[in-house]
Amino acid sequence: EVQLVESGGGLVQPGGSLRLSCTASGFTFSNHWMHWVRQVPGKGLEWVSRIIPDGSGTSYADSVKGRFTISRDNAKNTLYLQMNSLRDEDTAVYYCARDEVYGSGSCGLWGQGTLVTVSS
Amino acid sequence: QSALTQPPSASGAPGQSVTISCTGTSSDVGAYNYVSWFQHHPGKAPKLMIYEVTKRPSGVPDRFSGSKSGNTASLTVSGLQAEDEADYYCSSYAGNKVLFGGGTKLTVL
């Protein structure tokens, strides 16, 4: 089955760290640009980060630059998001998504999301 | 860069057509033909409905269509059905970033 499954969400204190994982199956993971997108409860979708198929290039939203790091292990078919210096406003459902066209944001496959709650 | 601008809500009766706009700038929507539209039902994963401004992924009904003029892209849903009621988001490639719109809640009256 073609799918993405996120894990690693949970409750963390402000200033803390968390690493999200996204495991891909049913397709050639190493052929695709991958993204992380988040949704604050009750708010809209916000793009977080993107990584090139071989992992050699990344980009970030201004709101997370310098705090979050996207990476991938193509041998393990897994995408990661290392989140440091977490803030209350990082509380959201985090989705990983597969891009169908270059790194354009044409995300045709999404995971079910994992909830990150930043609170003391 | 700010999010793309969408109307917060739209509505139409079953069978009618509705168009949702997505306004960006000459650095994103106006610069690239990489506008996508997503349908999002609460609690579920977003679904790609349109990509590269006008293209429909396999399985998306042809009632959904996309277009672009200048810095504004549009999604038109024809022959509205009850299951079309959802939140709709546009996104645009913007060079080294991807931008999303604020979302439009589509209500089928």
Side-chain angles (χ1 to χ4, degrees):
Chain A
E1 181 183 359
V2 176
Q3 64 178 356
L4 297 169
V5 179
E6 300 98 336
S7 59
L11 176 64
V12 60
Q13 292 188 338
S17 298
L18 209 57
R19 188 177 83 157
L20 306 183
S21 299
C22 168
T23 302
S25 58
F27 65 96
T28 306
F29 177 70
S30 59
N31 285 351
H32 290 270
W33 292 69
M34 296 294 295
H35 300 259
W36 286 100
V37 177
R38 68 185 181 184
Q39 184 175 33
V40 173
K43 303 294 186 181
L45 299 175
E46 179 189 12
W47 177 78
V48 173
S49 183
R50 174 185 70 188
I51 188 166
I52 197 172
D54 68 2
S56 64
T58 60
S59 56
Y60 299 91
D62 291 343
S63 58
V64 306
K65 192 177 296 183
R67 300 187 299 122
F68 289 12
T69 301
I70 189 172
S71 63
R72 64 193 297 162
D73 185 336
N74 286 341
K76 295 182 178 179
N77 292 331
T78 303
L79 176 73
Y80 302 102
L81 186 67
Q82 177 66 44
M83 303 186 295
N84 298 331
S85 303
L86 282 162
R87 306 167 180 168
D88 291 349
E89 56 265 35
D90 295 318
T91 294
V93 174
Y94 285 74
Y95 297 97
C96 64
R98 183 186 77 181
D99 205 317
E100 310 303 326
V101 181
Y102 172 51
S104 64
S106 307
C107 296
L109 179 67
W110 295 66
Q112 83 288 351
T114 186
L115 177 62
V116 172
T117 303
V118 184
S119 176
S120 54
Chain B
Q1 283 168 289
S2 301
L4 308 176
T5 300
Q6 297 181 233
S9 63
S11 62
Q16 288 188 333
S17 294
V18 64
T19 296
I20 299 170
S21 63
C22 170
T23 300
T25 70
S26 58
S27 297
D28 39 70
V29 174
Y32 308 98
N33 287 322
Y34 288 128
V35 175
S36 299
W37 288 92
F38 301 90
Q39 179 188 68
H40 192 201
H41 289 104
K44 299 185 68 176
K47 178 183 179 182
L48 181 66
M49 306 302 285
I50 296 288
Y51 67 101
E52 292 184 64
V53 180
T54 62
K55 298 179 179 179
R56 273 189 313 276
S58 175
V60 173
D62 60 5
R63 302 185 294 102
F64 291 84
S65 63
S67 63
K68 190 184 84 167
S69 177
N71 297 336
T72 298
S74 298
L75 172 72
T76 297
V77 186
S78 305
L80 273 172
Q81 299 182 4
E83 60 263 34
D84 299 334
E85 186 161 296
D87 297 321
Y88 289 84
Y89 294 89
C90 63
S91 76
S92 175
Y93 179 73
N96 65 340
K97 298 181 189 295
V98 173
L99 300 177
F100 275 92
T104 298
K105 182 175 181 58
L106 175 60
T107 301
V108 181
L109 302 172

